[in-house]
Amino acid sequence: MENINSNFNKKVKAACNKKEDLFDSSILKYIFRSALAGIFLTLTTLAGLIAADHLSGLSPVLAKPAFAGIFAIGLCYVLFLNAELATGNMMFLTAGVYNKYISLKKAIIILLVCTLGNLIGAYLVSFVTSLTSAINSFDANSFLTGLVSAKLDKASMDILFAGLLANVFVNLAVLSFMLVENQAFKGFLIMSAVFMFVYIGLEHVVANFGLFSLSQFSGNIKENFTLANVLRQWIFAFLGNYIGGGICIGFLYAWLNDTKTKFVDWLNKIK
C-alpha cells in the first residue's frame, strides 16, 4: 500500500498530477515545455562540442571531459526551469502508475508526446545553429562527427544497456533535485551524475536527438548516418533509458515505498 509518509511518494504524486493537469488543459503548452528540455540540452551540447574541438588542439584527452562538463549544465537548466524531459518522466510516470496516481494509458501518451517535444526542441536549435557561423565549427574531423559515427556503429544491445545505465545516472540526478534542499549541492549532484554518464560514453536518447540533428545540419556525416540507423539508435536508446529510469529507479523506489514500515524514502528532505 502507498505510504503517505514517504517524501518520494509525495513528490511523485505531485509531479504526476501537475503533468496530467497541464497536458489535459493545454497539450500545446505541454509540448512547448517538452521542447524547452530539448532546447536546453542541445544548446549545452553545442557549447560542449565547440569546447571539445578547441581544447583538443591542446591535448586530445581534454575533449571528452570538456564536452561532458558543459553538457552536464543542461540538466540543471531542465530541472530548475521546469522543462519536461522524457527520460526523467520515465521515472515519475512509472512510479505514478504503480501507485495509481495516473493511468497507464495517460502515462504512455504523456511520455510519447514529451519525447516528440524533446525532439522538436533539439531540431529547432540545430536549425537555428545552421543559420549561424557556429555550424562551421563542425567538419569531418570534429569531435561531433566522430562521436555520432561511433554511436551509430554500436550494436543494438550495446545501445540498449548503455541507455539503461545512462538513465540510472540521470534519474539519480532527478532524485537529488527532488529530495535535497541545498541549491548549490543540488546543482553539484545533478552535474556530477550527468558528467559521469557522458564521460563513460553511455546513451541518452534526448542528448542523441541534439547530437544527431547538429550533425545532420552540419553536413559532415559518415556513411553509417542513414535514416534507418539513426532510428535504430534512438529506439534502442529510448528502450534502454526506460528500463534504467522507469524500471530500475521509478518502479524500484515505488515498490520499496509500498510498505507500512517507517523505512521509506524520505521522511524529510535531505539538508
Side-chain angles (χ1 to χ4, degrees):
M1 63 177 290
E2 173 195 359
N3 192 315
I4 60 173
N5 292 317
S6 164
N7 203 33
F8 175 81
N9 285 341
K10 291 176 183 176
K11 291 289 184 180
V12 167
K13 185 175 185 178
C16 288
N17 289 344
K18 182 178 74 172
K19 294 172 194 297
E20 187 170 20
D21 181 64
L22 176 60
F23 188 88
D24 289 341
S25 62
S26 175
I27 189 171
L28 183 60
K29 287 185 178 179
Y30 188 82
I31 292 172
F32 268 89
R33 282 198 180 269
S34 302
L36 285 175
I39 288 169
F40 297 156
L41 290 184
T42 306
L43 284 172
T44 51
T45 296
L46 173 64
L49 291 168
I50 293 173
D53 283 339
H54 287 172
L55 291 175
S56 65
L58 297 175
S59 172
V61 300
L62 295 176
K64 186 183 283 190
F67 172 64
I70 295 177
F71 175 82
I73 301 170
L75 189 59
C76 291
Y77 293 154
V78 170
L79 294 175
F80 282 104
L81 300 179
N82 290 317
E84 286 288 306
L85 182 65
T87 49
N89 280 345
M90 291 171 179
M91 178 192 74
F92 284 116
L93 295 171
T94 301
V97 169
Y98 180 92
N99 281 319
K100 298 182 172 62
Y101 300 147
I102 188 170
S103 71
L104 175 61
K105 179 181 178 182
K106 181 57 69 69
I108 292 172
I109 293 171
I110 289 176
L111 180 59
L112 293 178
V113 171
C114 182
T115 305
L116 176 62
N118 293 165
L119 179 62
I120 291 169
Y123 264 84
L124 179 61
V125 170
S126 298
F127 170 71
V128 174
T129 302
S130 72
L131 304 177
T132 73
S133 59
I135 202 72
N136 298 329
S137 298
F138 307 125
D139 57 28
N141 298 314
S142 69
F143 185 77
L144 169 63
T145 306
L147 180 60
V148 169
S149 182
K151 286 178 177 291
L152 289 171
D153 271 343
K154 287 184 178 181
S156 297
M157 288 299 100
D158 186 348
I159 298 168
L160 181 78
F161 287 105
L164 185 161
L165 292 174
N167 214 23
V168 168
F169 275 113
V170 169
N171 282 283
L172 290 177
V174 175
L175 283 174
S176 299
F177 179 79
M178 287 168 57
L179 300 163
V180 175
E181 284 190 339
N182 183 278
Q183 299 298 311
F185 193 41
K186 271 186 185 184
F188 168 77
L189 291 174
I190 293 167
M191 291 181 63
S192 63
V194 176
F195 177 90
M196 285 186 278
F197 100 71
V198 177
Y199 190 78
I200 293 169
L202 303 177
E203 302 295 338
H204 184 274
V205 65
V206 183
N208 289 347
F209 288 164
L211 285 168
F212 290 12
S213 58
L214 285 168
S215 184
Q216 180 181 344
F217 279 105
S218 76
N220 292 292
I221 55 177
K222 299 290 181 70
E223 316 76 58
N224 59 359
F225 195 102
T226 64
L227 178 60
N229 204 15
V230 168
L231 290 177
R232 176 190 71 90
Q233 214 282 347
W234 286 348
I235 288 168
F236 278 94
F238 180 91
L239 293 173
N241 288 168
Y242 180 74
I243 297 169
I247 305 301
C248 296
I249 301 294
F251 171 80
L252 176 62
Y253 271 97
W255 176 72
L256 289 172
N257 285 271
D258 186 7
T259 176
K260 294 181 180 180
T261 69
K262 295 179 180 179
F263 196 92
V264 293
D265 304 289
W266 282 248
L267 290 176
N268 297 295
K269 281 191 173 183
I270 303 167
K271 300 285 185 179

